[in-house]
Amino acid sequence: QVQLMESGGGLVEPGGSVRLSCVASGIIFRINAMRWYRQAPEKNRELVAGITLTRTTHYEESVKGRFTISRDNAKNTVYLQMNNLKPEDTAVYFCNADITVFRGGYYTDAYWGQGTQVTVSS
């Protein structure tokens, strides 16, 4: 029943900015950590940024100072503000979240969105 859906991607010029959003829907007891991953062609999926329930954040080194992850718990939403974009940021960006549901007991699993394409090109 739980689904994640990303939005906000598109074509951006180098140095430009984009804000990605990811909304979790379904019967959710609690969303724990939320993360953004990305996958470029012929490369493995990599962790870009993460945020805990208490809003502690971590970033991959190449995006530090340029990207900001945030969350709105009331809206079950995580954001990724991306500034000063570079061509090497081009990738499909995936939302990931550890979500607890109730199915006779409480279970926590990782859920993934389908991804949104971000292309940085002049």
Side-chain angles (χ1 to χ4, degrees), residues 34-37 46-51 57-60 63 67-69 79-80 96:
M34 305 185 80
R35 308 172 187 89
W36 286 97
Y37 287 77
E46 66 175 354
L47 177 64
V48 176
I51 184 168
T57 59
H58 296 278
Y59 298 94
E60 193 271 327
V63 309
F67 292 8
T68 302
I69 188 171
Y79 306 95
L80 186 67
N96 167 266

Side-chain angles (χ1 to χ4, degrees), residues 28-91:
I28 297 169
F29 174 75
R30 183 178 64 232
I31 302 177
N32 303 303
M34 305 185 80
R35 308 172 187 89
W36 286 97
Y37 287 77
R38 67 185 179 188
Q39 188 165 19
E42 301 182 351
K43 294 184 65 178
N44 293 327
R45 190 170 299 185
E46 66 175 354
L47 177 64
V48 176
I51 184 168
T52 69
L53 188 61
T54 57
R55 293 182 170 85
T56 299
T57 59
H58 296 278
Y59 298 94
E60 193 271 327
E61 287 191 0
S62 70
V63 309
K64 287 182 178 178
R66 300 189 298 121
F67 292 8
T68 302
I69 188 171
S70 61
R71 64 190 291 167
D72 185 336
N73 292 336
K75 297 180 178 179
N76 288 342
T77 300
V78 62
Y79 306 95
L80 186 67
Q81 178 68 46
M82 304 189 293
N83 299 326
N84 191 24
L85 285 162
K86 304 175 180 179
E88 51 264 43
D89 295 319
T90 296

